[in-house]
């Protein structure tokens, strides 16, 4: 069975949609091959990207779960700004959640692509709002005169 992966850039949302097809991870070699393929595909973007990942088509077995969790964490730390997942079988989702807890990186899982997209965009907006410097009521930044701020 041939394994394939799709990494499609979505310019409207500035993110990468990831899909797997017949990707079965059973042992350490499978995980190493998966990691190498994913790193190769993500490296072409030249920067950390937000990822929307469809887990349907990716199956992580119990024998590869721990190694997969570690590889997933390392790949995402290197190549992803944020990653939101949807779909997938229960065992694969369990390994994602477990590795997220073990490595201190929460895993954002949704039931559908639409919900995952909405969650990703909401997370992006929340971060943007946290990084905004408030303006004064006049719409400009206050000037500092001596040790006090004077209107804008």
């Amino acid at each position: 069975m041939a394994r394939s992966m799709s990494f499609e850039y979505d310019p409207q949302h500035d993110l990468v949609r990831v899909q797997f097809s017949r990707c079965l991870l059973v042992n350490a070699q499978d995980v190493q091959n998966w990691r190498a393929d994913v790193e190769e595909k993500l490296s072409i973007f030249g920067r950390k990207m937000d990822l929307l990942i469809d887990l349907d088509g990716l199956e992580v077995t119990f024998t590869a779960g721990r190694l997969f969790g570690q590889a997933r964490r390392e790949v995402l730390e290197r190549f992803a700004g944020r990653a939101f997942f949807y779909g997938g079988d229960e065992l694969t989702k369990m390994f994602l959640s477990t590795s997220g807890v073990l490595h201190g990186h929460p895993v954002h899982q949704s039931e559908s692509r639409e919900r995952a997209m909405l969650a990703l965009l909401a997370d992006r907006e929340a971060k943007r709002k946290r990084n905004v410097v408030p303006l004064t009521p006049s719409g400009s930044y206050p000037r500092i005169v001596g040790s006090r701020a004077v209107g804008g």
Side-chain angles (χ1 to χ4, degrees):
M1 211 183 300
R3 170 184 72 198
S4 69
M5 301 177 196
S6 166
F7 292 73
E8 178 186 335
Y9 179 67
D10 175 348
Q12 178 183 357
H13 297 105
D14 189 31
L15 59 82
V16 176
R17 297 174 193 252
V18 180
Q19 291 185 297
F20 302 99
S21 177
R22 290 180 249 145
C23 191
L24 176 64
L25 306 182
V26 177
N27 55 42
Q29 187 62 52
D30 292 339
V31 173
Q32 287 175 342
N33 292 341
W34 174 87
R35 179 182 180 157
D37 289 349
V38 171
E39 287 179 337
E40 178 186 342
K41 299 253 189 333
L42 290 176
S43 68
I44 65 170
F45 295 102
R47 64 183 168 102
K48 286 187 173 187
M49 297 296 300
D50 288 345
L51 307 175
L52 190 63
I53 302 172
D54 181 357
L55 295 174
D56 290 336
L58 175 65
E59 185 179 348
V60 181
T61 64
F62 188 78
T63 54
R66 185 182 58 77
L67 294 173
F68 167 75
Q70 182 177 344
R72 179 204 65 88
R73 176 188 55 86
E74 292 168 0
V75 167
L76 293 182
E77 283 178 353
R78 186 169 171 203
F79 294 101
R82 57 182 59 78
F84 282 71
F85 303 87
Y86 64 96
D89 65 69
E90 293 304 314
L91 192 58
T92 299
K93 291 191 291 188
M94 182 197 70
F95 286 124
L96 282 173
S97 295
T98 302
S99 72
V101 170
L102 290 174
H103 302 292
H105 296 287
V107 175
H108 306 283
Q109 293 185 39
S110 296
E111 306 80 41
S112 69
R113 176 178 164 171
E114 294 77 21
R115 286 183 184 236
M117 174 68 88
L118 290 173
L120 186 150
L121 295 175
D123 186 69
R124 198 184 268 175
E125 179 65 13
K127 183 177 181 183
R128 186 191 66 76
K129 284 183 177 178
R130 285 190 304 269
N131 292 332
V132 170
V133 176
L135 297 175
T136 63
S138 65
S140 62
Y141 294 102
R143 293 176 298 145
I144 305 297
V145 177
S147 62
R148 61 188 192 122
V150 177

